[in-house]
Amino acid sequence: MVSPQAQASVPAPPMPTAHLIDQLTLDLQVHQIELEMQNEALRLTQIELEASRDRYVDLYDRAPVGYLSVGVDGCVIEVNLTGAALLGFERGRLVGSRFAQRVAPVDEQRWHRYALALARDGGDLRRIELLMNRADGTSFHARIDGVRVASAGERPVLRITLIDIDEHKRTEAELRLAAVAFETQEGIMITDAAGVIERVNAAFTRITGYTAREAIGQRGDLMHSGLQDAAFYEVMWAHLKTKGRWQGEVWNRRKSGEVYPQWLAITEVSCDGDAPQRYVGTMTDITDRKAREEEIALLAFYDPLTDLPNRRLMKDRLQQALVASGRSQREGALMFIDLDRFKEINDTLGHDKGDRLLQRAALRLVACVREGDTVARIGGDEFVVMLPPGLSESPEESAVLAEAIGDKILKSMREPYDVDGLVLHVSASIGIALFGDQPTSVEELLKRADQAMYQAKAAGRDTLRFFDAVAQDSLRARSSIEADLRVALAQGQLHMCYQPVFDAAGKMSGAEALVRWQHPQRGLMLPDDFVGIAEGSGLIFPLGQWALDAACAQLALWSGDAVLGQLSLAVNVCSLQLLDHDFVAQVLAVVERHGVNAARLKLELTESVLLHDVDDTIAKMRELKAHGVGFSLDDFGTGYSSLAYLKRLPLDQLKIDRSFVHDMLNKPHDAAIVRTIVELGVSLGLSVVAEGVETRSQCELLTHLGCSGFQGRLFGMPMSADELSQLANSEPPVKAFPQD
């Protein structure tokens, strides 16, 4: 065998030349193909690299956030298109500029501290929110995330991302606002479509007492009070489904069990008209509002002293009753009730005692009537009782039933009242008007009952009367006179007459001034025709002032006459005038204005002054007495004659009422009364004047009894001032008086 070494050393036989060339050519072709393939691979790789670079550039430049590189000197090295667009600059203008120039002045210092900390702390990512300025001067809130990077041999660079968070800020503010709104003073409850509670606010817990944990997962009817029935909620949900919202007043129950009024508003929440997804309920506790409404209603419709309906509410109910009476043809009745002599208690004991008496009287009235009847206080000591339609179809039977209730009231009212330990007595006068009398209005019915009440007063009080047309005509006439009297005072239709007073020697000692009214239609009217109306309407004050002024003016005219200048002139004063706290000052002012001798002025009072504040009356009389004004007690013996009070009054004169003088010759009792009055007056040191002296026989008996003054037809009727002057300077009408 031949060894491997030997074989290797043996040269290969040479190849043919043509074959070698073909082989070389083939090898070159293969090599060229391989080179082309390598070039194609390189080209494809280059294309891929370029595409990758383009994709990177696109991703970098058009990323949804801004990318910036900032050098440690604070200048922008690189920025993507998004960052440039956010700041409103072209990229070329940003590169090389200081980044701090883009930060709003309010945050510039915060940026510097942030950049310094970023450069110092290395690769730790830091975040900050800054207000940035755009090129056009507008601003936006930006969130910046930054990190420091450094390559070998290169200076460190700050890589930051820039994100516009204005929308996020607005959303965040709206969420905060929504959270604040949710925690409003109104309770809020959100339920799902089935009414299961999903969320509540703190006000809900405060109002209902249920915590969020206790309420969530429960149905909204958790708080139902049971005061509204199923029909109420059916209507509510039907309205909610139709309109998408509902609101109204409901009564709900707190966790404690307390039932309270609530104002509830429910709104449906749905998307694009789909079925409701949720319901939002807002609730307000209206307990305080309801209490205020009730208080306002009480003030508007109820009397604060007695808690009875007032005039306004009574008239409203009366109007409804009149309509009902017209439909049913059944009778109703209206009672007008006035407490007798209540004013005397009010004036003497004070308004506090009067108020307590009114409260007790109100309770008695309520106890006397039936359920469904209305008892109202319409002012002062005036009450109204309305018996609604249903008494009877017969006016006669209705009147009997109304009278029975009225009698019950009269009996109850006259029972003694215990007021703070004082036993007080009052009675009532009642006027009754039936609905069947065909009143035209509520006011007309009230007037009729009021007129009937005045008839009861005139009948002696503590009684009742039914309305009648004659009395109504009288009331209308009274109202007409009142209106005319106001005109008379303004237009000077009043004038004075003077009735002389003679002494026992047959000499004129004075006169009484008596007012007369020359009515343009009614003719001459005497005081009895209008003074009572003046007292009831308050016109007595201007009327009294006019009379006092006219009397003092006449005294001033008489002062220069030898005879008339010695006369005293009496003017009538009613008890109401004395109650005026300015009465004394008014009298003295008139006396001073006319410059008359106050001793010539005499004020005539009636015994009614003893029914009011006696101490105040006496004090005023004494003050006027100190200035010389005299006092005479008129119509003595016909009123409230209390000797205990009489002896305290600073009087100068008693006047015997004409009713006793008229029958003294025929009736021993009247003669005895006259004798007693004369003796009483003499014992008290007073002069005694008899009124209504018409015959010489009366005059002789009065003189025999010791009477010192005479006034009446025998000596002269009321006359003019000129006629009185002539009488004073002529022979006396009675020349001789019998002597004891």
Side-chain angles (χ1 to χ4, degrees):
M1 294 183 62
V2 179
S3 66
Q5 294 83 6
Q7 292 177 352
S9 63
V10 177
M15 295 182 63
T17 303
H19 178 75
L20 181 60
I21 292 172
D22 291 339
Q23 184 65 43
L24 290 173
T25 300
L26 180 60
D27 290 342
L28 286 174
Q29 290 176 345
V30 169
H31 183 65
Q32 185 173 357
I33 290 171
E34 288 177 349
L35 286 176
E36 288 177 356
M37 290 177 64
Q38 289 176 1
N39 288 337
E40 180 64 20
L42 288 173
R43 188 180 66 80
L44 292 174
T45 300
Q46 182 65 32
I47 291 173
E48 185 176 347
L49 287 172
E50 289 177 356
S52 177
R53 184 196 63 190
D54 290 342
R55 286 195 301 272
Y56 171 77
V57 169
D58 285 342
L59 288 173
Y60 174 75
D61 274 342
R62 305 186 187 283
V65 298
Y67 292 114
L68 295 96
S69 297
V70 179
V72 293
D73 59 355
C75 293
V76 178
I77 299 172
E78 185 182 7
V79 59
N80 69 346
L81 291 177
T82 303
L86 286 174
L87 294 172
F89 286 92
E90 294 180 0
R91 180 156 41 188
R93 292 187 59 190
L94 277 175
V95 174
S97 67
R98 295 183 60 80
F99 182 79
Q101 293 176 336
R102 311 282 78 82
V103 179
V106 68
D107 281 342
E108 191 171 349
Q109 290 301 319
R110 293 181 64 237
W111 159 251
H112 287 308
R113 289 194 297 270
Y114 170 80
L116 182 62
L118 198 63
R120 183 181 63 245
D121 294 342
D124 293 336
L125 184 68
R126 285 178 174 268
R127 175 172 292 177
I128 191 173
E129 291 182 3
L130 299 174
L131 185 65
M132 306 296 296
N133 286 335
R134 297 188 181 93
D136 61 3
T138 61
S139 301
F140 68 99
H141 290 89
R143 189 183 73 203
I144 294 177
D145 293 299
V147 65
R148 189 192 69 176
V149 296
S151 301
E154 295 183 2
R155 300 183 67 183
V157 175
L158 305 182
R159 304 285 190 191
I160 62 176
T161 60
L162 184 68
I163 301 175
D164 184 348
I165 60 171
D166 262 352
E167 186 64 30
H168 171 74
K169 283 285 189 181
R170 282 192 293 270
T171 302
E172 191 178 66
E174 290 175 359
L175 289 174
R176 283 197 300 269
L177 182 61
V180 171
F182 189 72
E183 294 304 333
T184 183
Q185 294 299 311
E186 293 183 335
I188 299 178
M189 173 181 69
I190 301 175
T191 74
D192 63 14
V196 177
I197 300 173
E198 294 182 335
R199 187 177 178 188
V200 298
N201 66 352
F204 172 92
T205 298
R206 175 176 52 79
I207 292 172
T208 68
Y210 290 100
T211 64
R213 177 175 295 182
E214 293 169 331
I216 293 174
Q218 300 289 331
R219 290 185 56 81
D221 57 13
L222 169 70
M223 298 162 289
H224 285 186
S225 65
L227 296 184
Q228 279 99 11
D229 57 16
F232 172 85
Y233 290 102
E234 288 176 3
V235 172
M236 181 188 79
W237 281 105
H239 189 280
L240 185 60
K241 290 177 180 178
T242 304
K243 303 295 185 181
R245 63 182 63 86
W246 178 90
Q247 63 179 355
E249 184 178 307
V250 299
W251 287 87
N252 273 344
R253 189 181 302 274
R254 305 188 208 274
K255 179 183 176 182
S256 64
E258 176 192 359
V259 175
Y260 68 102
Q262 181 187 94
W263 184 260
L264 177 64
I266 304 175
T267 303
E268 175 189 291
V269 180
S270 60
C271 294
D272 300 327
D274 292 339
Q277 295 180 340
R278 285 178 176 79
Y279 294 100
V280 177
T282 59
M283 59 191 67
T284 305
D285 185 346
I286 57 174
T287 301
D288 291 341
R289 193 189 80 186
K290 295 285 285 187
R292 288 194 297 271
E293 288 175 353
E294 291 177 3
E295 183 178 353
I296 291 171
L298 283 174
L299 291 173
F301 298 108
Y302 289 86
D303 171 50
L305 179 65
T306 63
D307 292 332
L308 294 176
N310 61 11
R311 177 184 288 269
R312 181 178 180 183
L313 180 55
M314 181 275 300
K315 289 175 69 175
D316 181 66
R317 292 183 180 178
L318 187 54
Q319 180 63 51
Q320 297 177 35
L322 283 174
V323 174
S325 177
R327 287 198 304 261
S328 66
Q329 297 300 307
R330 297 185 67 86
E331 282 283 7
L334 186 69
M335 297 183 178
F336 202 106
I337 303 167
D338 184 87
L339 300 184
D340 300 327
R341 303 193 186 281
F342 171 77
K343 191 175 187 305
E344 299 167 12
I345 292 175
N346 222 23
D347 292 340
T348 56
L349 299 180
H351 290 279
D352 56 336
K353 298 293 190 298
D355 287 348
R356 290 185 179 87
L357 176 59
L358 288 173
Q359 290 170 334
R360 286 161 175 75
L363 292 175
R364 292 188 184 184
L365 281 173
V366 172
C368 288
V369 301
R370 308 161 304 168
E371 184 178 357
D373 296 339
T374 295
V375 179
R377 179 181 177 229
I378 61 174
D381 60 338
E382 295 178 335
F383 296 86
V384 165
V385 173
M386 185 190 74
L387 310 178
L391 292 177
S392 173
E393 293 182 358
S394 166
E396 292 76 14
E397 292 180 5
S398 298
V400 170
L401 292 172
E403 185 176 23
I405 295 174
D407 287 337
K408 184 178 180 181
I409 292 173
L410 290 174
K411 181 179 179 182
S412 177
M413 290 295 105
R414 69 172 69 102
E415 291 293 326
Y417 292 82
D418 184 346
V419 178
D420 299 336
L422 295 175
V423 178
L424 304 179
H425 296 269
V426 295
S427 56
S429 296
I430 303 177
I432 304 176
L434 297 178
F435 291 6
D437 290 334
Q438 296 302 315
T440 58
S441 65
V442 168
E443 293 297 339
E444 179 66 22
L445 188 60
L446 280 169
K447 287 180 181 178
R448 293 181 179 184
D450 189 24
Q451 175 57 28
M453 184 273 294
Y454 276 109
Q455 291 177 7
K457 289 277 190 188
R461 300 184 176 91
D462 192 20
T463 188
L464 62 84
R465 288 290 185 271
F466 282 84
F467 166 80
D468 65 64
V470 174
Q472 185 182 34
D473 292 341
S474 175
L475 176 61
R476 288 174 179 168
R478 181 184 181 93
S479 298
S480 176
I481 291 174
E482 177 186 332
D484 291 348
L485 182 56
R486 295 181 187 276
V487 175
L489 286 167
Q491 296 184 355
Q493 296 176 7
L494 304 176
H495 65 274
M496 277 294 190
C497 285
Y498 305 91
Q499 186 170 27
V501 177
F502 282 78
D503 60 20
K507 180 182 178 183
M508 187 184 297
S509 59
E512 180 180 356
L514 299 168
V515 64
R516 295 292 185 265
W517 177 10
Q518 190 62 45
H519 194 284
Q521 286 82 37
R522 301 174 187 268
L524 185 64
M525 298 181 66
L526 303 180
D528 289 345
D529 298 326
F530 59 86
V531 169
I533 296 174
E535 290 180 350
S537 63
L539 290 175
I540 192 63
F541 297 104
L543 177 60
Q545 187 70 18
W546 176 88
L548 183 63
D549 188 81
C552 287
Q554 190 61 56
L555 280 175
L557 292 175
W558 286 346
S559 62
D561 187 279
V563 177
L564 296 176
Q566 304 302 312
L567 300 180
S568 63
L569 185 58
V571 183
N572 289 284
V573 175
C574 76
S575 58
L576 290 176
Q577 291 175 266
L578 272 173
L579 291 175
D580 189 342
H581 67 280
D582 290 330
F583 178 72
V584 172
Q586 292 169 359
V587 173
L588 295 178
V590 173
V591 169
E592 182 178 357
R593 182 167 64 251
H594 290 286
V596 299
N597 182 359
R600 298 298 175 191
L601 178 64
K602 188 177 293 181
L603 302 182
E604 284 200 4
L605 313 174
T606 63
E607 292 177 78
S608 60
V609 299
L610 301 176
L611 298 177
H612 302 289
D613 191 340
V614 178
D615 291 334
D616 181 67
T617 298
I618 292 173
K620 290 175 180 175
M621 291 175 66
R622 286 178 175 168
E623 187 174 354
L624 289 171
K625 187 82 170 176
H627 287 83
V629 178
F631 289 94
S632 174
L633 191 60
D634 197 12
D635 300 335
F636 185 74
T638 61
Y640 183 79
S641 301
S642 170
L643 298 182
Y645 287 143
L646 182 61
K647 68 179 182 180
R648 296 174 55 195
L649 296 177
L651 295 170
D652 300 282
Q653 185 181 84
L654 287 182
K655 298 186 79 172
I656 305 172
D657 186 69
R658 67 182 67 248
S659 62
F660 301 124
V661 174
H662 183 269
D663 294 326
M664 62 182 293
L665 297 176
N666 304 318
K667 296 180 180 180
H669 290 296
D670 286 356
I673 291 173
V674 172
R675 181 185 298 108
T676 302
I677 294 174
V678 173
E679 292 175 354
L680 176 63
V682 172
S683 66
L684 293 175
L686 307 176
S687 65
V688 180
V689 174
E691 294 182 304
V693 181
E694 298 182 353
T695 68
R696 186 177 180 87
S697 298
Q698 291 173 337
C699 183
E700 291 175 352
L701 179 56
L702 287 167
T703 304
H704 177 75
L705 294 176
C707 190
S708 55
F710 309 90
Q711 180 180 351
R713 185 184 301 273
L714 181 62
F715 296 92
M717 295 297 289
M719 59 190 70
S720 67
D722 290 341
E723 291 171 332
L724 186 74
S725 176
Q726 293 176 9
L727 179 61
N729 290 283
S730 63
E731 290 293 326
V734 180
K735 296 183 178 180
F737 287 83
Q739 302 296 322
D740 291 337

